Amino acid sequence: SAVISQKPSRDICQRGTSLTIQCQVDSQVTMMFWYRQQPGQSLTLIATANQGSEATYESGFVIDKFPISRPNLTFSTLTVSNMSPEDSSIYLCSVEADRGAFFGQGTRLTVV
Amino acid sequence: KQEVTQIPAALSVPEGENLVLNCSFTDSAIYNLQWFRQDPGKGLTSLLLIQSSQREQTSGRLNASLDKSSGRSTLYIAASQPGDSATYLCALGASTLTFGKGTMLLVSP
């Protein structure tokens, strides 16, 4: 298994500002994944972050809005840029390990 | 494109009941199927992983089965407890996962 520490756990932000979410894993992993869970919905993959290369974004998500960093094999950040109330969601990072996928505790973002 | 459906969307049972949560998927060429639990406003806790070559997995009061030919998985919870109240999600894939919308379970004392 993998232990993932994600922060902040929650935040309330003003529209037009940006928030950076951090994800730390207790072991080295090749890929890290970022998901979004909008209110009442299930999880949707935003992007896959590989160390040493550009993140790969899913349809509907763009780098300008959700820039991702992956400086080493245990850490990644996701920034939600120029926020609007529609960005209010839970954001989760995930890694794949021997026993399947493991998730951080999530960041609950409210944009006002 | 893989689509995952979970039925029922919500379930309310008295404590002690045995219950079954259902997950169906459209693409049988899957890698893994994983069941998660999510408490309100929180992240996901992995419950059981069934690899594509397996048919079921058990952990304590939980048993998950996988039938690729019919595109179905079930999560069986024995002797339910109020602490089991949460949303249960099934997800399919290898590295990246496709999720169902979940079943919200409420177990009343």
Side-chain angles (χ1 to χ4, degrees):
Chain A
S1 64
V3 177
I4 303 171
S5 176
Q6 187 175 336
K7 59 181 180 181
S9 58
R10 60 173 59 212
D11 207 342
I12 301 173
C13 299
Q14 297 290 324
R15 68 174 67 202
T17 62
S18 298
L19 176 71
T20 295
I21 302 167
Q22 299 180 4
C23 185
Q24 179 77 50
V25 190
D26 68 342
S27 58
Q28 294 184 337
V29 293
T30 304
M31 293 187 287
M32 296 178 72
F33 308 94
W34 288 97
Y35 289 83
R36 180 178 73 181
Q37 186 178 32
Q38 294 178 299
Q41 302 297 314
S42 193
L43 280 76
T44 302
L45 180 66
I46 298 172
T48 301
N50 292 317
Q51 194 269 332
S53 64
E54 292 271 338
T56 303
Y57 289 83
E58 298 298 303
S59 176
F61 298 96
V62 296
I63 187 171
D64 290 346
K65 177 65 176 177
F66 298 101
I68 287 172
S69 77
R70 184 80 202 274
N72 57 54
L73 291 173
T74 63
F75 187 79
S76 179
T77 67
L78 169 76
T79 299
V80 186
S81 302
N82 188 25
M83 289 183 285
S84 67
E86 292 70 36
D87 295 320
S88 298
S89 297
I90 298 174
Y91 293 85
L92 301 107
C93 66
S94 171
V95 302
E96 184 188 15
D98 289 345
R99 290 181 173 272
F102 291 86
F103 284 78
Q105 62 267 50
T107 296
R108 187 167 202 165
L109 171 62
T110 302
V111 183
V112 297
Chain B
K1 179 184 175 184
Q2 180 72 272
E3 293 184 5
V4 182
T5 303
Q6 291 189 246
I7 295 173
L11 182 62
S12 181
V13 300
E15 182 177 8
E17 275 204 8
N18 302 323
L19 55 99
V20 175
L21 308 182
N22 297 291
C23 173
S24 61
F25 47 92
T26 55
D27 185 356
S28 61
I30 68 170
Y31 292 97
N32 299 326
L33 186 144
Q34 197 165 355
W35 283 92
F36 295 90
R37 168 189 173 134
Q38 185 176 31
D39 292 290
K42 304 293 185 182
L44 276 63
T45 299
S46 178
L47 297 174
L48 290 165
L49 167 70
I50 308 178
Q51 296 177 328
S52 61
S53 60
Q54 299 173 327
R55 292 188 62 85
E56 69 175 333
Q57 285 289 327
T58 298
S59 176
R61 294 183 293 109
L62 305 179
N63 175 274
S65 67
L66 173 62
D67 184 346
K68 291 198 295 182
S69 63
S70 65
R72 296 185 182 213
S73 175
T74 61
L75 177 66
Y76 175 82
I77 302 177
S80 58
Q81 303 171 357
D84 295 330
S85 298
T87 296
Y88 291 80
L89 297 163
C90 72
L92 289 91
S95 300
T96 60
L97 299 176
T98 301
F99 283 83
K101 290 187 175 182
T103 294
M104 184 182 299
L105 173 65
L106 176 63
V107 181
S108 53

